[in-house]
């Protein structure tokens, strides 16, 4: 992305951003005749502002000459607001600038009587920053509030000249269902490291068949930056990959809230000092995190009896330190406050935490992240977190129940864990679509169990890689897969349960276990 490799290796994300901005200055771009003054002045999406269309003069037609009737929205994706019972954001893309975008909403497809204005966030990437020429992307967001819990809504997205309420456009409608007001059984799915590929598309098709209430994406989302070292010298950056990714996921994300955490491939130095300016243009996530400016991917929400916490492990990663220390410790402080709050809430049975870098994994690629073990694992154990979901390593691996870095209880396939007394279970679900990694130990999964006493691995520390021999690696599967979690509240004296299953791209089950908790 334009910084010499030796120089980039000594820079953090903010320094790389400043270098790129200086290199692609107003004077340089104007002299080359690449973009309009508006594009140079705006440069990229500025969080908190409604950006104006910044159209490259030589690569796109003028917005005034485009008939809105000829422009179809694409890449629809949903995200919960702070309260999934009453808030959701509908997001989408348009290929060129449009006028007066909006969402139509109703209880029936033939009655879309509510019309809500939408916000356009324009993201400009100049030639030279990435693999493409000048490229402008238009992301549109409409936050819907005051919805009714447990209600299914129909919606359509449009703009001047394209109204989804017109009869011939009813086929463009989508639906979503808000969270229930009370505890009910539900399903959610999760994976990480998807990218754009046949395998990503196949996994999405299987996801839709699970009928999930929402989906968790544990980072490394589209791979527009394929290098992922968090350096501005990363080669092959192409912002257009996001267009392909959102088109690929639309079949699921237009009806299932798609909740991402940010990984190392999601840091893009051109757009902002923290690397997340592009992400803020593309997503509209809950804004209840500790530092919206620096950590837009950190948030929480409660669905039914389950609290979900999204974290940004780039902030504490020793392995890939481009954003190491970004929050100055505020993220960890916020995490403890959230865990304490949820454990005190009598309506919350389960706490699920997801983020990118693995606390415990034996992949030969990245293995385990010492920063996570140092900063967060003690809190997971203190507040008896029920399930931790990671990506980063492109495979499926599940641990035994862990406490203080050791096996507190073996958890065979089909077994049950009790976090209040046993410890925490960690699942790496990073085989959503990108090329697969490898294990040093034999594979072991449902129907093909191969138990070993120990596995040779390593952990990334502030002093580099440190070899370790571990006994907690229980399930290892090396093919494309995702996680399905069925949540059942307690009833008639029974325990509340999370039934967790690893499901292969073929539809076969490769792992299953239960997390059970007594409710107050």
């Amino acid at each position: 992305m334009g910084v010499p490799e030796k120089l980039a290796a000594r820079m953090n994300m903010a320094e790389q951003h400043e270098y790129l901005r200086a290199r692609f200055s107003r004077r340089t771009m104007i002299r080359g005749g690449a973009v309009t003054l508006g594009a140079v002045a705006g440069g990229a999406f500025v969080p908190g502002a409604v950006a104006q269309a910044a159209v490259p003069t030589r690569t796109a037609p003028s917005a005034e000459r485009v008939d809105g009737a000829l422009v179809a929205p694409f890449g629809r994706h949903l995200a919960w607001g702070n309260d999934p019972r009453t808030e959701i954001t509908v997001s989408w893309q348009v290929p060129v600038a449009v006028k007066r975008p909006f969402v139509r909403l109703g209880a029936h497809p033939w009655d879309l009587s509510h019309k809500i204005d939408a916000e356009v966030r324009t993201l400009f990437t100049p030639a030279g920053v990435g693999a493409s020429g000048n490229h402008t992307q238009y992301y549109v967001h409409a936050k819907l509030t005051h919805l009714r819990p447990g209600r299914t809504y129909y919606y359509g997205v449009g703009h001047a000249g394209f109204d989804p309420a017109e009869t011939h456009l009813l086929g463009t409608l989508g639906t979503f269902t808000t969270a229930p007001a009370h505890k009910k059984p539900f399903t959610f799915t999760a994976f990480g490291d998807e990218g754009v590929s046949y395998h990503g598309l196949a996994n999405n098709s299987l996801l839709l068949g699970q009928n999930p209430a929402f989906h968790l994406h544990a980072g490394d989302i589209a791979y527009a930056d394929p290098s992922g070292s968090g350096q501005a010298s990363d080669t092959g950056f192409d912002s257009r990959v996001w267009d392909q990714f959102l088109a690929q996921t639309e079949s699921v994300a237009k009806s299932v809230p798609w909740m991402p955490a940010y990984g190392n491939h999601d840091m893009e130095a051109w757009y902002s000092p923290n690397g997340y300016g592009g992400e803020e243009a593309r997503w509209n996530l809950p804004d209840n995190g500790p530092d919206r400016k620096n950590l837009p991917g950190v948030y929480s929400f409660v669905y039914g009896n389950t609290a979900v916490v999204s974290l940004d492990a780039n902030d504490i990663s020793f392995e890939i330190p481009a954003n190491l220390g970004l929050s100055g410790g505020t993220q960890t402080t916020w995490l403890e406050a959230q865990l304490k709050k949820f454990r005190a809430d009598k309506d919350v049975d389960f706490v699920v935490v997801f983020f990118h870098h693995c606390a415990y994994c034996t992949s030969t690629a990245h293995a385990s992240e010492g920063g996570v073990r140092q900063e967060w694992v003690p809190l997971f154990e203190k507040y008896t977190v029920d399930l931790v979901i990671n990506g980063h390593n492109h495979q499926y691996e599940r641990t035994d129940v862990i406490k203080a870095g050791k096996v507190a209880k073996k958890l065979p396939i089909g077994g049950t864990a009790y976090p209040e007394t046993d410890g925490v279970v960690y699942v790496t679900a990073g085989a959503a679509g990108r090329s697969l990694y490898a294990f040093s130990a034999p594979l072991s999964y449902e129907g093909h169990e191969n138990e070993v006493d120990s596995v040779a691995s390593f952990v990334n520390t502030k002093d580099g890689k440190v070899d370790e021999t571990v006994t907690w690696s229980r399930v290892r599967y090396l093919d494309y897969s995702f996680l399905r979690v069925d949540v059942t509240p307690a009833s008639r004296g029974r325990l509340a349960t999370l039934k967790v299953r690893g499901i292969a791209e073929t539809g076969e089950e490769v792992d299953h276990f239960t997390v059970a908790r007594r409710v107050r």
Side-chain angles (χ1 to χ4, degrees):
M1 291 172 66
V3 177
E5 185 173 355
K6 290 184 179 180
L7 181 60
R10 301 194 300 269
M11 290 179 170
N12 61 25
M13 184 59 59
E15 291 167 338
Q16 295 166 50
H17 170 75
E18 185 176 350
Y19 179 97
L20 283 174
R21 286 287 162 164
R23 177 178 174 184
F24 292 92
S25 64
R26 176 191 299 263
R27 179 179 300 176
T28 300
M29 288 193 283
I30 293 175
R31 186 167 58 243
V35 293
T36 64
L37 282 175
V40 177
F45 167 66
V46 179
V50 180
Q52 298 299 314
V55 183
T57 57
R58 296 184 178 180
T59 59
S62 168
E64 287 75 22
R65 296 197 298 270
V66 176
D67 184 349
L70 304 177
V71 180
F74 71 99
R76 289 169 292 176
H77 51 289
L78 307 175
W80 295 127
N82 294 344
D83 186 350
R85 296 172 300 179
T86 60
E87 300 175 351
I88 199 167
T89 293
V90 180
S91 303
W92 67 98
Q93 273 188 270
V94 286
V96 297
V98 296
K99 297 179 180 178
R100 299 188 297 280
F102 60 86
V103 166
R104 282 199 177 275
L105 185 70
H108 306 283
W110 57 85
D111 181 20
L112 301 178
S113 55
H114 296 283
K115 187 176 181 181
I116 300 97
D117 291 338
E119 169 195 3
V120 180
R121 300 177 184 175
T122 302
L123 195 65
F124 175 73
T125 310
V129 167
S132 73
N134 298 321
H135 187 50
T136 304
Q137 293 162 304
Y138 305 92
Y139 297 100
V140 193
H141 305 272
K143 186 173 183 178
L144 311 182
T145 60
H146 300 93
L147 303 171
R148 294 185 179 182
R151 178 70 63 89
T152 296
Y153 290 89
Y154 291 82
Y155 75 91
V157 300
H159 48 261
F162 187 100
D163 192 333
E166 296 178 5
T167 303
H168 69 286
L169 293 176
L170 290 179
T172 66
L173 302 186
T175 65
F176 63 82
T177 302
T178 52
H182 306 288
K183 298 179 181 181
K184 291 183 179 180
F186 69 93
T187 297
F188 71 88
T189 53
F191 61 40
D193 305 81
E194 183 180 6
V196 178
S197 71
Y198 165 79
H199 297 290
L201 184 64
N203 260 335
N204 287 343
S205 298
L206 283 176
L207 285 181
L208 191 59
Q210 314 304 311
N211 193 29
F214 55 86
H215 176 69
L216 306 180
H217 196 305
D220 283 5
I221 303 168
Y223 285 82
D225 177 356
S227 297
S229 63
Q231 295 183 359
S233 61
D234 290 354
T235 59
F237 175 73
D238 191 341
S239 61
R240 298 170 300 180
V241 171
W242 280 101
D243 303 343
Q244 297 173 288
F245 174 82
L246 291 173
Q248 172 182 284
T249 59
E250 184 175 22
S251 63
V252 184
K254 70 178 182 181
S255 58
V256 176
W258 195 274
M259 309 301 296
Y262 296 150
N264 52 294
H265 284 272
D266 304 318
M267 296 184 288
E268 300 165 344
W270 162 253
Y271 300 113
S272 64
N274 61 4
Y276 300 135
E279 307 300 354
E280 288 202 78
R282 301 168 189 125
W283 307 95
N284 200 76
L285 302 172
D287 59 2
N288 53 17
D291 184 352
R292 186 67 184 167
K293 178 181 178 181
N294 287 316
L295 300 171
V298 179
Y299 57 88
S300 67
F301 63 89
V302 176
Y303 187 102
N305 69 338
T306 302
V308 179
V309 181
S310 169
L311 299 175
D312 184 347
N314 292 319
D315 179 33
I316 60 168
S317 172
F318 294 131
E319 180 196 13
I320 303 172
N323 264 338
L324 179 61
L326 179 64
S327 76
T330 59
Q331 181 175 197
T332 298
T333 301
W334 174 85
L335 170 62
E336 179 161 23
Q338 290 291 293
L339 296 179
K340 184 177 182 179
K341 178 184 72 173
F342 290 140
R343 280 292 169 241
D345 189 336
K346 62 181 177 59
D347 292 325
V348 173
D349 299 334
F350 296 111
V351 177
V352 175
V353 181
F354 76 109
F355 51 92
H356 189 59
H357 300 63
C358 300
Y360 296 99
C361 185
T362 63
S363 165
T364 58
H366 301 295
S368 303
E369 173 55 64
V372 174
R373 292 188 187 180
Q374 174 181 299
E375 293 291 323
W376 297 343
V377 164
L379 297 180
F380 298 158
E381 295 179 0
K382 180 179 179 179
Y383 295 99
T384 64
V385 166
D386 298 285
L387 182 65
V388 175
I389 301 170
N390 301 130
H392 200 38
N393 289 292
H394 302 180
Q395 52 223 73
Y396 179 94
E397 185 169 17
R398 193 257 297 166
T399 70
D400 285 319
V401 188
I402 297 178
K403 183 178 288 187
K406 299 179 180 179
V407 175
K409 174 184 177 180
K410 286 190 176 182
L411 187 60
I413 293 171
T416 300
Y418 301 89
E420 293 169 287
T421 56
D422 295 343
V424 184
V425 181
Y426 298 81
V427 178
T428 298
R434 293 293 286 188
S435 58
L436 299 169
Y437 290 166
F439 289 109
S440 61
L443 302 184
S444 184
Y445 56 97
E446 192 166 336
H448 304 271
E449 296 180 48
N450 190 354
E451 185 171 348
V452 296
D453 293 332
S454 62
V455 177
S457 188
F458 64 90
V459 56
N460 295 283
T461 74
K462 62 181 179 180
D463 298 318
K465 293 181 180 180
V466 174
D467 292 336
E468 62 179 5
T469 299
V470 307
T471 59
W472 38 254
S473 178
R474 177 56 48 190
V475 178
R476 295 174 298 278
Y477 178 73
L478 194 59
D479 212 336
Y480 297 99
S481 57
F482 64 93
L483 207 62
R484 170 178 171 148
V485 182
D486 297 308
V487 185
T488 304
S491 62
R492 297 180 182 178
R494 296 182 179 180
L495 299 175
T497 60
L498 300 177
K499 291 189 176 180
V500 187
R501 291 191 280 167
I503 299 177
E505 182 187 273
T506 61
E508 297 175 283
E509 186 175 276
V510 298
D511 183 28
H512 73 281
F513 66 96
T514 300
V515 177
R517 180 175 285 273
R518 298 185 185 279
V519 298
R520 291 157 289 177

